[in-house]
């Protein structure tokens, strides 16, 4: 199974085709209300957004063309759910992505785990299912489901996936532990698009050490093979250090991801969160950013890498010239295994727990605080503040409680919006 990517003139034709089909989709919707003005501004927003991501590698996953990791494949129903975001005026744009954890159970001990201090009983799966249905009705188009290890509680994982209809896309993050052929066949009956595995090095020993499990590589490798046998696309995430882009590990990880027939790989920037909250993460210079972006863009745009997976790199996505920080329900947020609603998985604060409060109220409060999609990546800039509150209150678990989190975000001044969201949100106001 080779990766099918679009390059050059064919890519330009594809973008033109996509724009025409999207225009026709919205023309039919807006003609019901005969609102040509909103139709015009919706297309302007979408045209600007597509222009921002046109440098990405467009890759086929399960019969649809993926423009970006967080955008469902074109022309699926979920793709048009994500487009509907741009047809909302006079209120905050809908959130389109949620990361949900179905369990904290895990047999690994990953160095970078942002859930290292998340302790507590897994939330009632019925509550998660109810919230998933609510979120679909508000416009969430992409559900990223994880653990811990979700396959260790397969009944919970399957129940949640079954509850999500084709208005949304589903990806599952896994170490491979607990994956069987029968379980994959069951999941493949849902709207599952891909399973994402961790590939932090091309060397099995380094992966085992980083993930704190002597069988991590073998488990992942066997699970990848089972995915291919059952027709489920494989994707990867890779937490790479600065030196990995100098010492050749990045290139070797990309080659290994290609050998594993991966469709996409997410390059995770080390974050001062969870296990790394106290000591922090590596700091990057402008020169570091420049090097990494150059290498990522080469793999995504140079035809000689056409058979390699598409790359989704946090360093590029979080750049002020791109999306900036979209946490807090601007475009994404996180619900951990015990029910805390967090702005993102890397920011260890909570706006409330769904076991104690109505999700709708928690969600509305969070989106109000994160009204402006800003240039400031909060999990990096304010991790020391989170850790200080954690230490000062002699805490043993994260995220911070709702009350302590309020102390944290009450000190944060609203950041100016990224240029992308400034242009999109100014329309019709």
């Amino acid at each position: 199974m080779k990766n099918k990517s679009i390059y050059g003139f064919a890519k330009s034709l594809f973008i033109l085709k996509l724009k025409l089909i999207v225009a026709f989709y919205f023309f039919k919707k807006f003609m019901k209300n005969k609102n040509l003005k909103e139709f015009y501004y919706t297309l302007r927003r979408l045209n600007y957004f597509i222009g921002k991501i046109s440098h990405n590698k467009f890759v086929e996953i399960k019969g649809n063309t993926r423009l970006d990791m967080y955008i469902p494949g074109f022309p699926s129903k979920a793709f048009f759910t994500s487009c509907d975001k741009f047809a909302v005026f006079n209120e905050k744009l809908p959130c389109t992505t949620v990361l949900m954890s179905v369990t904290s159970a895990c047999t690994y001990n990953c160095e970078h785990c942002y859930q290292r201090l998340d302790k507590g009983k897994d939330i009632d799966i019925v509550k998660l299912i109810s919230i998933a249905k609510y979120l679909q009705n508000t416009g969430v188009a992409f559900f990223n489901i994880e653990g811990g290890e979700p396959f260790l509680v397969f009944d919970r994982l399957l129940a949640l996936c079954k509850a999500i209809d084709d208005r949304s896309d589903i990806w599952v993050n896994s170490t491979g532990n607990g994956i069987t052929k029968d379980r994959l066949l069951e999941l493949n009956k849902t709207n599952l698009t891909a399973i994402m595995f961790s590939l932090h090095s091309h060397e099995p020993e380094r992966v085992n050490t980083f993930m704190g499990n002597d069988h991590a590589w073998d488990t992942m490798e066997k699970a990848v093979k089972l995915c291919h046998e059952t027709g489920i696309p494989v994707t990867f995430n890779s937490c790479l250090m600065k030196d990995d882009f100098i010492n050749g590990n990045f290139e070797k990880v990309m080659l290994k991801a290609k050998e594993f027939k991966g469709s996409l790989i997410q390059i995770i920037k080390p974050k001062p969160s969870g296990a790394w909250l106290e000591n922090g993460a590596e700091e990057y210079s402008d020169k570091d950013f420049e090097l990494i972006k150059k290498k990522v863009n080469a793999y995504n745009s140079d035809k000689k890498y056409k058979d390699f997976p598409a790359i989704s790199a946090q360093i590029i996505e979080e750049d002020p010239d791109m999306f900036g920080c979209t946490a807090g329900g601007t475009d994404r947020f996180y619900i951990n295994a015990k029910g805390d609603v967090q702005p993102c998985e890397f920011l260890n604060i909570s706006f409330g727990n769904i076991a104690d409060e109505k999700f709708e109220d928690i969600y509305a409060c969070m989106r109000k605080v994160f009204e402006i999609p800003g240039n400031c990546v909060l999990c990096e800039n304010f991790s020391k503040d989170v850790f200080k509150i954690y230490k000062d209150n002699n805490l043993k678990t994260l995220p911070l409680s709702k009350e302590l989190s309020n102390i944290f975000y009450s000190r944060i001044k609203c950041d100016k919006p990224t240029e992308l969201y400034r242009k999109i949100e100014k329309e019709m106001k």
Side-chain angles (χ1 to χ4, degrees):
M1 187 194 307
K2 280 191 174 183
N3 283 321
K4 294 182 181 179
S5 306
I6 307 173
Y7 287 87
F9 184 63
K11 188 175 183 180
S12 298
L13 285 178
F14 171 82
I15 292 174
L16 177 61
K17 174 186 173 183
L18 180 148
K19 287 182 177 180
L20 289 172
I21 292 174
V22 168
F24 183 65
Y25 167 80
F26 281 110
F27 180 76
K28 290 191 295 182
K29 292 189 72 166
F30 280 109
M31 282 307 96
K32 291 179 182 179
N33 300 321
K34 296 184 179 180
N35 195 329
L36 285 173
K37 188 177 181 181
E38 288 192 357
F39 170 67
Y40 169 73
Y41 280 111
T42 297
L43 295 191
R44 274 179 52 130
R45 286 173 160 186
L46 276 161
N47 187 62
Y48 183 60
F49 180 79
I50 291 170
K52 276 289 185 181
I53 62 171
S54 59
H55 66 279
N56 287 353
K57 178 182 282 190
F58 296 175
V59 62
E60 184 178 305
I61 301 180
K62 218 169 187 180
N64 295 310
T65 302
R66 199 121 191 148
L67 284 66
D68 180 84
M69 176 178 165
Y70 296 105
I71 302 173
F74 173 82
S76 67
K77 190 172 182 179
F79 172 82
F80 289 100
T81 300
S82 66
C83 290
D84 285 337
K85 173 189 183 88
F86 298 97
V88 173
F89 297 92
N90 302 316
E91 62 180 274
K92 185 175 171 65
L93 298 180
C95 174
T96 56
T97 298
V98 61
L99 177 63
M100 283 184 162
S101 177
V102 291
T103 185
S104 59
C106 187
T107 60
Y108 289 61
N109 190 29
C110 297
E111 286 184 16
H112 68 315
C113 183
Y114 51 81
Q115 299 178 31
R116 178 68 59 83
L117 296 171
D118 290 19
K119 299 172 184 176
K121 183 180 178 182
D122 290 348
I123 194 70
D124 185 347
I125 191 63
V126 174
K127 285 187 178 290
L128 275 185
I129 289 172
S130 174
I131 289 167
K133 291 179 177 179
Y134 171 84
L135 289 171
Q136 278 206 287
N137 291 332
T138 66
V140 168
F142 181 66
F143 285 82
N144 195 185
I145 302 173
E146 62 160 27
E149 173 48 63
F151 281 89
L152 293 181
V153 290
F154 183 69
D155 289 346
R156 288 169 60 88
L157 172 63
L158 183 62
L160 181 56
C161 289
K162 281 183 174 180
I164 299 168
D165 62 45
D166 62 356
R167 289 174 294 167
S168 306
D169 205 8
I170 304 170
W171 283 29
V172 174
N173 294 358
S174 176
T175 61
N177 189 13
I179 285 183
T180 66
K181 187 172 184 178
D182 288 343
R183 288 179 171 183
L184 292 178
L185 289 171
E186 280 294 304
L187 272 183
N188 216 6
K189 296 174 186 176
T190 70
N191 290 305
L192 176 73
T193 295
I195 293 182
M196 177 173 273
F197 298 97
S198 295
L199 185 67
H200 306 302
S201 172
H202 66 287
E203 297 176 318
E205 297 79 12
R206 282 186 63 185
V207 169
N208 292 346
T209 299
F210 188 84
M211 299 184 73
N213 186 293
D214 292 339
H215 306 288
W217 181 277
D218 289 341
T219 300
M220 178 268 295
E221 192 170 28
K222 290 173 184 175
V224 166
K225 290 178 181 177
L226 286 176
C227 284
H228 290 309
E229 284 180 26
T230 53
I232 296 176
V234 169
T235 61
F236 296 98
N237 62 66
S238 189
C239 184
L240 299 179
M241 307 299 143
K242 286 189 300 184
D243 285 348
D244 290 320
F245 292 92
I246 300 170
N247 61 23
N249 188 40
F250 166 70
E251 288 80 3
K252 290 174 182 176
V253 165
M254 290 302 300
L255 183 60
K256 184 55 67 174
K258 176 191 172 187
E259 291 172 358
F260 279 139
K261 301 175 185 176
S263 301
L264 180 145
I265 183 166
Q266 180 186 33
I267 304 297
I268 299 173
K269 184 176 182 289
K271 298 285 189 177
S273 172
W276 283 347
L277 181 62
E278 180 175 2
N279 295 327
E282 291 181 309
E283 293 188 5
Y284 287 65
S285 66
D286 290 342
K287 188 175 180 181
D288 296 326
F289 284 125
E290 185 180 341
L291 171 66
I292 295 169
K293 290 176 184 177
K294 182 178 179 180
K295 291 199 170 190
V296 167
N297 288 330
Y299 272 85
N300 275 346
S301 60
D302 196 321
K303 200 168 183 177
K304 71 180 180 180
Y305 298 116
K306 65 183 179 67
D307 294 329
F308 283 76
I311 302 177
S312 173
Q314 287 180 344
I315 279 177
I316 292 177
E317 292 161 357
E318 294 173 349
D319 191 287
D321 289 333
M322 285 294 292
F323 304 114
C325 179
T326 61
T330 291
D331 212 26
R332 65 190 307 274
F333 73 102
Y334 176 53
I335 302 176
N336 75 6
K338 59 186 178 181
D340 288 301
V341 179
Q342 301 179 217
C344 88
E345 64 271 33
F346 301 115
L347 187 56
N348 300 133
I349 67 171
S350 171
F351 276 80
N353 191 290
I354 60 175
D356 307 317
E357 301 176 63
K358 284 182 63 177
F359 170 73
E360 293 90 334
D361 295 337
I362 301 172
Y363 189 53
C365 176
M366 178 178 68
R367 278 173 52 84
K368 185 175 181 181
V369 170
F370 285 82
E371 180 71 25
I372 300 173
N375 293 322
C376 177
V377 181
L378 299 179
C379 61
E380 296 182 11
N381 291 28
F382 295 99
S383 61
K384 291 180 180 178
D385 297 74
V386 173
F387 183 69
K388 185 177 188 308
I389 295 173
Y390 171 80
K391 291 297 288 183
D392 288 350
N393 289 273
N394 298 311
L395 302 180
K396 303 298 180 185
T397 65
L398 286 173
L400 301 180
S401 67
K402 177 181 176 179
E403 293 72 26
L404 290 175
S405 296
N406 182 59
I407 294 172
F408 168 79
Y409 62 73
S410 64
R411 298 172 181 168
I412 299 173
K413 294 180 180 179
C414 290
D415 194 12
K416 65 178 182 179
T418 60
E419 182 66 9
L420 183 149
Y421 281 98
R422 186 191 67 78
K423 283 191 174 183
I424 285 175
E425 294 197 348
K426 77 174 183 177
E427 307 285 11
M428 296 288 291
K429 286 190 177 181

